[in-house]
Amino acid sequence: MDKKTAGISSAMKEKIAPKSFIKNPINGTKYTIAISSAKGGVGKSTFAINLAISLKKLGSKVGILDADIYGPSLPKMMKINEKPESDGKSMSPIEKYGLQCMSIGFLVDEETPMIWRGPMVTSAIKTFTQKVLWKNLDFIIIDMPPGTGDTQLTFSQEIKIDGAVIISTPQEIALLDVKRGIKMFDKLGVKIVGLIDNMSHFEGDDGKKYNIFGDGGVEKVAKEFGKNFLGKIPINSDIGRTADNGKPLVEENPDHKISKLYLELAKKIKSSFL
Ligand code: ADP
């Protein structure tokens, strides 16, 4: 807990500082990195998991929190079927591939839809950040839900985000949402570490590059808004296959050319914090 505000009731804290200035750093963690996409299905969760494994391979202690309450991916992508241990007050994260992991998907059946209103989502997010016994983490990676809603607001205003990485495909329709995402983080005062162009192109057996979803759009948006462009990840069937099999590509094959890309991106992201 912040030394300055320790022992002060939350009502008092609100009197001292407006809500937007109160931060509740996540216990047991140093830096919080939000992986965000304004649109769904652009590869955000896949990136979040491979980034977490890459940071671990670079020597950091890493946790991953699946904050996508309505569409959790972590149980499937990391092949986690067990339930977290709890003493009724707190929960232990589940360790897999050297990462500390937590997801609402560990607590409910895979096919159970989360039919929840916003306040319940906010409350679940607070539980995951305050009642989970994260241990000695350098980085906690937050796999955000798509969009600009309750979870983003809760993390930005009431918890803590040290930096956000925005993922998009280069399609026009996705880019519109990226611009909204950038403006949201700017408005909330969250540092944007950079943008990533996922599914940037496909390399055929003929060695040619095919720009399936358009060319260079994410980089252009980054320039337009004065943000860092971190790099491109092409379409590659090994990315999807390994995610479906529950062992992320960087873990299964760190020497794969795409794993090397993930590791390069992880180095860039890490260096913006240390
Ligand atoms: P989001 O979290 O944005 O909804 P996911 O990470 O679930 O997206 O990815 C959506 C689908 O695309 C998944 O089936 C995933 O395996 C696949 N995928 C993500 N990135 C790539 C890529 N670069 N190449 C091929 N498939 C990808």
Side-chain angles (χ1 to χ4, degrees):
M1 194 187 283
D2 187 338
K3 271 188 197 153
K4 283 185 205 145
T5 52
I8 302 175
S9 75
S10 48
M12 263 313 248
K13 279 188 205 170
E14 291 239 348
K15 274 190 190 156
I16 298 167
K19 203 165 190 182
S20 57
F21 293 116
I22 299 168
K23 300 275 182 191
N24 291 326
I26 306 169
N27 281 334
T29 71
K30 239 186 239 166
Y31 297 107
T32 307
I33 308 180
I35 308 301
S36 177
S37 74
K39 209 167 199 58
V42 298
K44 168 186 52 63
S45 300
T46 313
F47 177 76
I49 288 168
N50 279 291
L51 171 69
I53 303 264
S54 302
L55 288 168
K56 176 200 75 174
K57 293 211 180 284
L58 295 175
S60 299
K61 284 207 76 177
V62 186
I64 180 158
L65 170 59
D66 184 356
D68 197 346
I69 300 289
Y70 294 116
S73 317
L74 204 59
K76 169 103 181 119
M77 287 188 179
M78 299 278 282
K79 211 176 187 173
I80 297 174
N81 301 313
E82 54 199 289
K83 297 220 177 304
E85 282 178 19
S86 170
D87 60 3
K89 285 191 203 132
S90 51
M91 260 185 298
S92 296
I94 293 179
E95 289 257 355
K96 186 91 188 240
Y97 308 131
L99 303 180
Q100 295 173 29
C101 309
M102 185 51 69
S103 167
I104 189 88
F106 298 162
L107 306 172
V108 293
D109 176 69
E110 195 177 38
E111 289 179 7
T112 303
M114 301 303 294
I115 312 172
W116 280 4
R117 291 194 189 275
M120 286 172 77
V121 172
T122 305
S123 151
I125 293 298
K126 287 186 181 165
T127 302
F128 285 150
T129 49
Q130 290 163 10
K131 306 264 179 221
V132 172
L133 303 171
W134 305 102
K135 283 185 284 300
N136 293 323
L137 296 182
D138 296 309
F139 295 103
I140 180 158
I141 307 295
I142 314 290
D143 182 4
M144 292 290 225
T148 54
D150 283 321
T151 305
Q152 282 77 3
L153 264 179
T154 306
F155 265 102
S156 309
Q157 296 192 312
E158 295 181 56
I159 307 174
K160 176 190 162 195
I161 299 179
D162 294 300
V165 176
I166 299 178
I167 312 286
S168 182
T169 58
Q171 276 165 302
E172 286 294 328
I173 186 80
L175 295 176
L176 258 183
D177 283 338
V178 169
K179 294 180 184 177
R180 280 194 273 268
I182 293 177
K183 287 185 179 168
M184 171 189 68
F185 284 126
D186 279 351
K187 218 172 200 170
L188 295 171
V190 172
K191 169 177 130 179
I192 296 174
V193 177
L195 275 67
I196 290 182
D197 189 337
N198 188 39
M199 309 195 205
S200 57
H201 61 277
F202 174 74
E203 209 174 302
D205 289 339
D206 54 7
K208 276 194 199 153
K209 286 184 178 174
Y210 297 89
N211 296 317
I212 313 256
F213 296 130
D215 183 20
V218 180
E219 190 167 8
K220 270 185 219 142
V221 173
K223 270 206 186 115
E224 186 186 331
F225 284 83
K227 306 294 175 195
N228 272 335
F229 178 67
L230 295 167
K232 295 179 178 183
I233 305 168
I235 297 173
N236 187 291
S237 58
D238 290 332
I239 298 177
R241 178 185 55 75
T242 49
D244 282 350
N245 289 345
K247 191 166 190 184
L249 183 58
V250 182
E251 184 67 21
E252 185 189 88
N253 182 1
D255 295 324
H256 193 291
K257 62 178 179 187
I258 302 286
S259 299
K260 288 183 180 160
L261 270 179
Y262 280 124
L263 284 158
E264 276 311 306
L265 290 168
K267 264 186 212 161
K268 282 191 195 169
I269 291 169
K270 185 172 178 172
S271 70
S272 80
F273 291 96
L274 305 176

